[in-house]
Amino acid sequence: MAETQTAGAEVRSADPEQFKLRLRRYDPESGEAPYWDEHTIELEPHRSVLEAILQARDRFDGSIGIRCSCRQAICGSCGVRVNGEPALACHTHLDAALEGARDGVIEIEPMGNMPVLKDLIVDMDAVHWKKIQRVTPWLIAKQPVPEREYIVPRESMIDVTQTMACIQCGACVSDCLAMEVDPGFIGPAALAKSYRFVGDPRDDQHEERLLDLSEDPEGIFDCTHCFKCVEACPKDVNPMGQIMRLRRIATNDFHIVDKNNGERHEAAFTGLIKDNGLLWEAELLPRSYGGNSWFGKFAPPAGKELLSSLPAILKGLIRGKVSPMKALKPHRIPKNDLKQVQSIYDKVESREKRYELNLYIVGEDEQVLESPSATSDPVAVGVTAEPGGKEPDADPGAEPTDTPAEQRSTTEGEGK
Ligand code: SF4
Ligand code: SF4
Ligand code: FES
């Protein structure tokens, strides 16, 4: 039996094996309903799901629709759902896909939240690219433009590197729960793209961009914090993290109080946890409208919102999910535990600068490698955020890594 050795020294069989594929087929132009199509292919287990689909197309049915180009997880064109989870077909090994298969058959469907053009091909123009265009996806340069190049701190470019790694595959869009409910939501990929410019010190429109994204009812405050996009992304872009950064800069640094109540809602949320250690839902709504105090419940817009929420509240009461006594009483944790929660708030709030930890860039620093006492621990790069969205300083606690000249990074090229 032939064998291959992988980077992790794991030995895998290199002999071809049979794999069953179940493909979702749909041609909107045919007028027929979608259906499932099964094929058995033969390939080595370390080969990709994309290769399996292409083999099925070549051997059994030339009409199977699939989009691909690079076959190396670079171009972002082969996004699909494998066993219900978003994935790049060229970046998913057959043996791994089989492990996730419910009944021994690898199930492949088109991505979600986008209309199907044919079989596994979705219309990315209609959703994904339209939303990318929405966030002004280019740098609006500070004036006057320097004669040669902009010189920016190295740390600030590291800060946006994570969003620059996006290959525009749409996997995050496919799984976004907020987009499922509100297709108009700008969405994880476009908002991550927006952070790429809000975090770039060469861009001149940070405040305008943030104001626009905060005031849009389908902007940064429409995200429900569900983590789906974080799990879906094959490039670790962490779109939800970028959205939370946009929110923090908009509210803490530019003090934007949006008409969608996003800023107040967040303040009410964190205020209630600080006061009680637990979220108290009945108090969340009035405080979101009337401010972080007991009197908030008398704010007229809170009453209006409460009225519109009555059907949902009644449903909860009828089904026994909430009881008036439990809902109206503050939910509290024991005193000692609450003190610990509050000490976290005190520590974070007493900092002069907000600390943003970028865990994306890991690896071994050149100087660490040169040092005889070097350890092989990964290096995480942290940046502190200056109020006003100004260029961030280097992490004061971080080890010096470069000579002063090398600490400057000159950048002319744009990320994808
Ligand atoms: S965290 Fe926000 S952007 Fe990401 S999938 Fe969930 S709702 Fe969408
Ligand atoms: S953020 Fe990640 S999942 Fe979303 S489009 Fe970019 S690479 Fe794909
Ligand atoms: S074919 Fe390019 S990412 Fe899969």
Side-chain angles (χ1 to χ4, degrees), residues 128 166-172 189 232-235 237 239:
H128 175 69
C166 172
I167 56 168
Q168 308 297 347
C169 65
C172 54
C233 180
K235 294 289 172 184
V237 170

Side-chain angles (χ1 to χ4, degrees), residues 176-178 185 188 223-229 240 243:
C176 176
L177 294 185
F185 173 40
C223 164
T224 57
H225 221 151
C226 72
F227 280 82
K228 280 288 202 181
C229 56
M240 187 191 81
I243 298 171

Side-chain angles (χ1 to χ4, degrees), residues 344-356 384:
I344 298 173
Y345 276 78
D346 293 342
K347 192 165 181 182
V348 172
E349 285 167 0
S350 67
R351 284 192 182 134
E352 273 179 34
K353 288 178 180 176
R354 196 176 58 251
Y355 189 76
E356 296 274 359
T384 49

Side-chain angles (χ1 to χ4, degrees), residues 328-347:
L328 294 174
K329 257 175 59 187
H331 308 164
R332 286 209 174 102
I333 57 176
K335 258 189 183 165
N336 280 344
D337 294 347
L338 181 59
K339 266 190 192 159
Q340 288 192 27
V341 170
Q342 289 172 343
S343 73
I344 298 173
Y345 276 78
D346 293 342
K347 192 165 181 182

Side-chain angles (χ1 to χ4, degrees), residues 29-72:
E29 286 179 10
S30 72
E32 285 172 24
Y35 62 98
W36 292 101
D37 191 13
E38 285 196 12
H39 296 289
T40 303
I41 56 94
E42 204 168 296
L43 274 174
E44 295 84 355
H46 67 275
R47 304 285 281 273
S48 70
V49 167
L50 176 63
E51 286 174 285
I53 299 167
L54 294 178
Q55 190 184 92
R57 191 182 69 179
D58 293 344
R59 290 196 182 165
F60 310 116
D61 185 347
S63 73
I64 295 172
I66 171 78
R67 181 165 44 207
C68 63
S69 178
C70 71
R71 306 191 191 188
Q72 295 179 65

Side-chain angles (χ1 to χ4, degrees), residues 253-284:
D253 300 347
F254 288 102
H255 309 291
I256 294 171
V257 179
D258 59 295
K259 65 171 188 284
N260 308 306
N261 235 17
E263 190 268 348
R264 277 182 293 258
H265 181 67
E266 249 182 28
F269 207 103
T270 49
L272 280 168
I273 303 277
K274 188 179 179 182
D275 291 349
N276 304 312
L278 286 174
L279 185 63
W280 181 17
E281 291 84 352
E283 189 69 8
L284 182 64

